[in-house]
Amino acid sequence: MGFSVAASLGTHIALRNTHEARIKCHFLYKRQENNIIGFKFSKPKALQRKIFLSKQEFSELDERKSPDEVREEIKKCYELINRLGRGAVYLGSSRMGSSHSHYVQAQELAKEIANLLDCTSWSGAGPGLMDAVTQGAILAGKPVGGFKIGKEAGEWTASNFHPYLPSENYLTCRFFSARKHGLVDAVVRNNSFDKTAVVALPGGIGTLDEVFEMMALIQLERIGSKFPVPLLLMNYDSFYSKLLDFLNDCEGWGTVSKGEVASLWRVCNNNSEALAYLEEFYGISSIDKSKNVTKFCSTYESSS
């Protein structure tokens, strides 16, 4: 990473960016009688780097410069959503495998929400908790869709293909901007009977990036939805408790208003709290729940 070096030369300031040249500074720092610090600089040497690109890599780099390519990929995301339907979008770690307790909880939650809201389940179509929610939705017999990227965090190799989802159920995105457009559009509610949700499972940098972007869009009313969209933060085993403490401190610093963060999402410590909140949010009665269960049983029997 480049940085700038500033040195006092009498009454002048010399600046040099190390992206352009490397300065070797002999740190012969001696205090002179007039309290001026002296530096001796060797002759700058230009950095020489050779970058080799294959024909395919050069072509991909050239394509990424085109706004038309990004626009086309966003269009494909929208087409996939229109075909499979909007629903619950899950954000979560790609590193928590099937042996992790959060994987088991996420799988069960996705199955229950798919039945409760009778909706499509969306994720990044990757491993870890994204795989857990995919499996849960499949167990519920509901549609599953995904916006995949070639390489997830923690993976050594890149793959544009999902190991078991049909290719028509997911899109491998080259652009993060297009992927985010897809994840946001998948929860838009244009009608009062649309039932969608954003469910933030435990995760790392990528998850937090997506969670806070969703949160900001809801806060600023830029999510593009005519009706409110519930955002749930799954605080399994107090995973997000320190983050919540930090956000509470932000209120003290005045960077967010009192109660502002709490109004944008619902923090849930377990699946029961999440399901109860969604029932309350959408006014789902026990009769509606039993209808969905009956519908699921009919679908399961017909597919068996």
Side-chain angles (χ1 to χ4, degrees), residues 95-105 107 128-129 131-132:
R95 307 187 193 212
M96 293 178 172
S98 56
S99 61
H100 200 287
S101 62
H102 293 175
Y103 183 102
V104 178
Q105 289 171 285
Q107 184 182 45
L129 299 189
D131 181 62

Side-chain angles (χ1 to χ4, degrees), residues 248-293:
N248 285 334
D249 288 342
C250 287
E251 290 187 4
W253 287 103
T255 54
V256 295
S257 301
K258 187 173 180 59
E260 183 178 10
V261 174
S263 69
L264 297 173
W265 60 18
R266 175 62 63 94
V267 179
C268 303
N269 295 312
N270 53 56
N271 291 352
S272 297
E273 290 182 7
L275 294 169
Y277 172 64
L278 288 175
E279 288 176 21
E280 176 190 349
F281 188 92
Y282 285 113
I284 299 173
S285 65
S286 56
I287 297 175
D288 295 327
K289 288 169 64 178
S290 62
K291 284 181 181 178
N292 288 342
V293 171

Side-chain angles (χ1 to χ4, degrees), residues 198-216:
V198 181
V199 182
L201 300 162
I205 295 171
T207 301
L208 291 173
D209 169 48
E210 293 163 349
V211 170
F212 279 102
E213 182 155 357
M214 287 282 195
M215 193 183 217

Side-chain angles (χ1 to χ4, degrees), residues 22 42 66 152 197 237 252 263 267 280 292 298:
R22 178 177 295 163
S42 64
S66 169
E152 292 286 351
D237 302 316
S263 69
V267 179
E280 176 190 349
N292 288 342
S298 302

Side-chain angles (χ1 to χ4, degrees), residues 81 84-90 113 117-122 183 185-189 195-198 229 282:
I81 293 166
L84 296 180
R86 295 185 171 98
V89 167
Y90 295 88
I113 289 180
L117 303 185
D118 191 24
C119 68
T120 303
S121 296
W122 293 91
L183 291 171
D185 189 71
V187 297
V188 167
R189 298 179 61 217
K195 294 182 177 66
T196 68
V198 181
V229 176
Y282 285 113

Side-chain angles (χ1 to χ4, degrees), residues 56-73:
Q56 180 182 355
E57 288 172 330
F58 183 81
S59 176
E60 289 177 356
L61 184 63
D62 190 53
E63 286 179 354
R64 286 178 64 86
K65 295 178 183 177
S66 169
D68 293 334
E69 293 292 324
V70 181
R71 190 182 300 112
E72 184 62 27
E73 190 162 280

